[in-house]
Amino acid sequence: MYSIIVVPAPAAASGSQVRLAPGERLHFGRAAPRTAGAPHTAGTPRTAGAPHTAGTPRHLEIPHPGVSRTAGEIGATASYWTLSNFSAASTYVVENPEGAGEHIKIAPGRLDAPVPFEFSRVVLPAGGDLLDFSVWAPRHDYVERAHSASASAEDGEPTALAFPLDRSKRYFLVLAALCESRLRGAPHAPLPTVDRIVERLRPLWPAVNRASVQWNIDYLAVKLRLKPGPDTADAGPRLNGKKETLVSLALRFDLVHEDDLVTLTGLPAPTPVTEAR
């Protein structure tokens, strides 16, 4: 059974997908490795040659003068994949297209860095260009929730949620409107102004105004523990960039998903998963 699928970009010499089973590897670069049994060091792939067997990497050719001949290597496992950067100077970036800007950096010479994303975009700096190809990892494994919930019920009281949010409340509409542009694939988009949020929410909330939106933003800052509550004498430090901090926290911990954006259309949101343990 295949573990990951590599989808070459138009810049690659071959447009066909590459399917890797657990234990298999894929070398990528401007040229295929020339020697077999090369040592496992930065700048040199582990092995090369034909025919392909488990442990012997195939090759994805990226014929761009700014891409190293031996740029890197992908390794497949059962539940994640690894990326090796054979470049001596260039950092590679692995982006999560569904993660509203989530990414990891693979430093020059780094070997077998684990990549946890189910869908990934590998970005390679190539001269004045940025080249990319996609990696799909459909074999992610998750605990069976029903079994986990029944087993945990015997252990005592359920665990309190870290960030309890009610998706039926107006504050969640405000949070979803704040996160909308970044969840829709523009991770570096500027956040909407309060006036834009008012305009966005008016079809669902006819009485909305600037004061009510700002009140909900302040309430979210307290609810997500970015600021002390009104019941404490400690006002806490001044929170600059409140909207940016809220969105960063919400997206980092998946408090708002792309599926939650249906709340902005008036449709019922998906039922959130609660922690049973």
Side-chain angles (χ1 to χ4, degrees):
M1 180 177 294
Y2 293 109
S3 171
I4 68 171
I5 301 172
V6 180
V7 183
S14 171
S16 59
Q17 297 179 359
V18 181
R19 297 172 180 263
L20 301 176
E24 293 183 330
R25 311 190 72 87
L26 175 69
H27 172 273
F28 61 89
R30 194 165 81 246
R34 289 180 291 180
T35 59
H40 185 167
T41 57
T44 306
R46 295 165 182 75
T47 55
H52 167 72
T53 59
T56 301
R58 286 173 282 177
H59 177 66
L60 174 63
E61 183 181 355
I62 307 177
H64 188 287
V67 175
S68 172
R69 291 179 175 83
T70 55
E73 189 175 84
I74 288 172
T77 72
S79 57
Y80 65 95
W81 58 281
T82 64
L83 177 63
S84 295
N85 181 354
F86 296 153
S87 169
S90 296
T91 294
Y92 301 160
V93 175
V94 184
E95 300 175 340
N96 177 6
E98 299 185 323
E102 184 180 22
H103 68 278
I104 60 175
K105 296 187 290 185
I106 313 299
R110 175 70 193 273
L111 298 175
D112 292 328
V115 180
F117 307 143
E118 194 164 357
F119 301 99
S120 305
R121 182 186 298 116
V122 180
V123 182
L124 311 176
D129 300 320
L130 291 176
L131 307 181
D132 66 80
F133 58 85
S134 299
V135 179
W136 302 343
R139 281 286 309 276
H140 279 193
D141 298 322
Y142 297 90
V143 66
E144 294 183 13
R145 298 190 185 280
H147 172 73
S148 173
S150 61
S152 301
E154 304 173 0
D155 297 337
E157 293 297 321
T159 303
L161 293 176
F163 302 107
L165 295 176
D166 186 340
R167 283 163 166 74
S168 68
K169 301 298 184 182
R170 285 173 174 169
Y171 68 73
F172 192 80
L173 282 176
V174 173
L175 185 59
L178 279 170
C179 298
E180 182 177 21
S181 59
R182 299 191 180 182
L183 285 171
R184 294 197 187 280
H188 306 296
L191 297 183
T193 63
V194 170
D195 288 333
R196 291 294 299 272
I197 295 175
V198 169
E199 180 183 347
R200 181 71 175 93
L201 298 183
R202 195 175 300 283
L204 299 171
W205 182 3
V208 67
N209 55 39
R210 286 178 53 86
S212 57
V213 168
Q214 191 59 59
W215 185 92
N216 278 276
I217 290 174
D218 291 337
Y219 177 76
L220 282 164
V222 173
K223 190 170 185 64
L224 299 182
R225 297 191 291 280
L226 297 176
K227 289 183 61 178
D231 55 343
T232 176
D234 181 11
R238 179 176 177 83
L239 185 60
N240 296 316
K242 189 182 305 179
K243 293 191 299 181
E244 186 72 42
T245 304
L246 279 171
V247 171
S248 176
L249 179 70
L251 296 180
R252 177 172 296 183
F253 290 99
D254 288 334
L255 305 184
V256 183
H257 301 84
E258 187 176 357
D259 291 343
D260 291 318
L261 296 181
V262 297
T263 61
L264 300 176
T265 67
L267 298 174
T271 302
V273 175
T274 57
E275 176 63 74
R277 291 180 287 177

